[in-house]
Amino acid sequence: MSEPGVLPIPATEYRRARWRNGRGWTREILALPGDPDWNLRLSIAELDVVADFSPFPGLRREQLLLSGNGLRLHFDDGETRELLPPHQRAHFDGARPVTGIPVDGPVQVFNLMWRPPALAAALFHRPLVGTMLCFCDPHTAWAVHVLAGSARIGEGGRELALAQGDSAWLPPSADGRRGHAIDGAGALLLVQVEWPEGGTPPAMEVAGFGQ
């Protein structure tokens, strides 16, 4: 059972599509407010050959290695960064031309993209041992992705169970600050999303819902 306002996003419902250049696959978790004019997008990129990344001017990107032996990011200006096991990450401008080079086999990376100043986003990698709290308010929301193990989000006698690879959206709270208890065992990726004062969080499209 899902608690009111918390939206489960099972891994089986992620929307899978080819990259625009045909060199890889993306499994979209959520887009906000929705394709094609989103300000926030969470996805999982699948890459098994050398491929140029699509440019996204005006966006920020953060990538974190989910599986595989590593991904080398080679930027056209000569800079190289490596995402190595277990979960190394890189943050860069979406407009920068970059080529992804898998290290010894296929890789999957968690891909966070957002458009400032429409909103701000921050990615956290946290162990889940026992219970943690995520607080939402009228200008703050959270996305939860289960990196390993399992998690439960519960409040008021209701409980949402998430398995490894599943995600959930904890929306802004219209009536003040609200805490969401998350418990279980494993590891999470948490994305904190904040809108500026006076900004209104828009409606959201989620892969597999309303399509």
Side-chain angles (χ1 to χ4, degrees), residues 134-153:
C134 285
F135 290 95
C136 298
D137 60 38
H139 298 283
T140 305
W142 291 83
V144 179
H145 178 78
V146 181
L147 186 61
S150 61
R152 296 175 299 277
I153 304 175

Side-chain angles (χ1 to χ4, degrees), residues 13-17 26-29 31 35 205-208 211:
E13 300 290 345
Y14 297 168
R15 183 166 45 201
R16 192 169 187 257
T26 291
R27 287 185 291 148
E28 185 178 277
I29 300 172
D35 290 332
E205 279 190 18
V206 176
Q211 300 303 316

Side-chain angles (χ1 to χ4, degrees), residues 60-80:
R60 302 298 301 177
R61 299 185 71 160
E62 187 158 359
Q63 294 191 329
L64 178 144
L65 184 70
L66 291 176
S67 66
N69 294 315
L71 178 67
R72 185 173 299 113
L73 300 178
H74 179 74
F75 296 90
D76 282 11
D77 59 14
E79 183 183 4
T80 298

Side-chain angles (χ1 to χ4, degrees), residues 22-198:
R23 302 287 284 175
W25 290 90
T26 291
R27 287 185 291 148
E28 185 178 277
I29 300 172
L30 66 82
L32 187 157
D35 290 332
D37 299 319
W38 44 264
N39 292 325
L40 175 76
R41 187 186 185 202
L42 305 182
S43 62
I44 295 172
E46 304 170 0
L47 187 62
D48 57 9
V49 297
V50 176
D52 297 337
F53 286 8
S54 300
F56 288 93
L59 297 175
R60 302 298 301 177
R61 299 185 71 160
E62 187 158 359
Q63 294 191 329
L64 178 144
L65 184 70
L66 291 176
S67 66
N69 294 315
L71 178 67
R72 185 173 299 113
L73 300 178
H74 179 74
F75 296 90
D76 282 11
D77 59 14
E79 183 183 4
T80 298
R81 302 189 201 177
E82 289 191 334
L83 309 185
L84 299 177
H87 301 297
Q88 198 167 357
R89 65 171 79 182
H91 176 194
F92 53 96
D93 192 315
R96 292 182 70 186
V98 58
T99 299
I101 306 170
V103 177
D104 192 23
V107 298
Q108 295 187 25
V109 296
F110 186 87
N111 189 34
L112 162 64
M113 293 190 284
W114 72 97
R115 190 186 309 278
L119 56 81
L123 176 64
F124 304 94
H125 176 198
R126 294 289 186 266
L128 180 60
V129 181
T131 302
M132 67 170 63
L133 288 172
C134 285
F135 290 95
C136 298
D137 60 38
H139 298 283
T140 305
W142 291 83
V144 179
H145 178 78
V146 181
L147 186 61
S150 61
R152 296 175 299 277
I153 304 175
E155 182 180 284
R158 299 182 177 90
E159 186 173 87
L160 165 65
L162 301 176
Q164 182 172 333
D166 291 342
S167 302
W169 174 249
L170 313 182
S173 173
D175 55 356
R177 196 164 186 250
R178 180 182 182 187
H180 296 276
I182 306 175
D183 69 89
L188 302 178
L189 294 181
L190 301 169
V191 179
Q192 184 181 35
V193 185
E194 295 184 302
W195 289 265
E197 288 295 328

